[in-house]
Amino acid sequence: MTDNHILSLAPELLCQVLASCESIQQVISLSIICKSFYSVWITNSSAILPSVAPRCIPGFDEALIASRVTSLVKNVILDGKTPPRSDDIDIASFLPDVSRPTVSDMPYVMHLHKLANLVEKAYLDGSVGFDRYDINWGMEKDKSGRGLPSREEWNQNLKQSFHRAIFRVFLAGPVIAGWYLEPFSTNGTPNILPPDMPLRLRMFVQDLDPEEPEVELKDEDFAYLERKSIAFDQTINARLSAPQGEIFGSLSSWLISSIREHVTPQDMVWAQEKWPTWPENLELFPRLSFLELAGATLEETRAALREVMRMVVAYEYLANMISNFHDGLGHGRDGNEEDFEPLNIFPNWPQSSTTTAIILGVYQLEDLRIVDGVIVASPGILEPSTSAEILGGEHVPLPVDINRVLDAIYRESGRVNCINGALTPPPNLQLFTYILDRYFGLQFSEGYMFETRKYNSYFDNLLDNATVFNNCYSLRHPGRWVELLRPRSESRVYSYRLIS
């Protein structure tokens, strides 16, 4: 058929031609050929995008939801208001089945897609400064006996799963940010410290040198924050923790539903035939016992558990790939740390324009862009001489370093932060500890965490191994296996209650 014949087709058929494209770029290229294609594209974009976008954007549904929720929360904050709490955000209303994707949705979705591609590249190449113990698996033939996936397996199933995990992490930050911004808001305006905040805590928040704090928090400061509903209580039994249920409950429920909806036949085969992946696991550890999800089979529960652990991997890699503008301190990041060299990870990686995100554990608006293969955040730095930063062309109050406040609670409060002398998971991982406990009756193994100055390296052994894609409860360290998950303890020792 000649070009003239194609252009003479009825609009309904031209719409089908556009909907059959393999990428958004192909659609745009066709739409500028002539007025007929352009008119069909502009008029029917909401019908064309659901067909085309999933072909070129793995995990498109989650990317769209994350972009829409982030835009909602961003607009509320830039309007000078505290964002809604998680239980006031109806995540399902942002689904493409409920509200079809539009052309205006796509720029932010494409930005998230580019960020996800970079995180995937770092994971496959073992970058971001982690020592992979000479694995260098990078899609090569696995010689370690750890069951690493082939390139074909990755592209057919695991790529989609990993990108969904990344987008779910991008969604989590804005959904629960309102809870963490509220204690540092006045009359609903975020980052304006309330007048009843204790003076010592106010000085701590305004101390812009996280490396050498001049203020030490006391019990009354922690008590003030607890009154503001931040979930500092980190009981193992998350079902007994009302603050955690309020903050993480609705988000966790949606995440589990989404995970179950996207369980694939390949996942079911894995859960039935390859659990656990390595025979020696059975010799070292008993078969992991956990709660089965309501209405789910054992295999579905196994597959869902693995997806949760992939979210942990996605979060840790994303968090480690973000560097503050000009290597500034703040939000738990330090680009100059000896074991973390973020610059020039992938120097030839395409630069990207700026997009706004609210990262889990940071809970503040940040502009992200890719520079020299690094995700650079601004206003990630906290400048003492600056009373306001510019975000997306808008003036916003200087962000409170919520990550640092949580760190102070975790390390300096004198509260119970250990199980039998072993460090418990830090506050920025509470979403995952809640999901593991609430839905699977599991916890991270005592002793797996180890103390570092920052959050970044808690899961370095998890990230060093590609095994999370074929296993999710034990890891291979050099020369030995270690447990990552185990059934929950009946103790309430994950607690920040004051020690009398």
Side-chain angles (χ1 to χ4, degrees), residues 378-408:
S378 176
I381 56 171
L382 307 177
E383 293 284 359
S385 61
T386 306
S387 59
E389 293 283 351
I390 297 178
L391 186 77
E394 299 283 347
H395 287 273
V396 296
L398 190 67
V400 173
D401 195 341
I402 295 173
N403 184 287
R404 179 167 169 252
V405 176
L406 296 178
D407 182 72

Side-chain angles (χ1 to χ4, degrees), residues 119 127 143 179 185 241 289 393 403 446 455 459:
V119 174
S127 300
K143 300 178 181 179
W179 287 96
S185 304
S241 172
S289 60
N403 184 287
E446 298 97 325
Y455 296 151
F459 281 89

Side-chain angles (χ1 to χ4, degrees), residues 94-115:
F94 296 95
L95 284 166
D97 292 342
V98 177
S99 177
R100 284 190 169 187
T102 64
V103 173
S104 61
D105 286 318
M106 295 312 297
Y108 191 77
V109 170
M110 293 303 297
H111 287 317
L112 289 184
H113 175 54
K114 292 177 181 178
L115 291 171

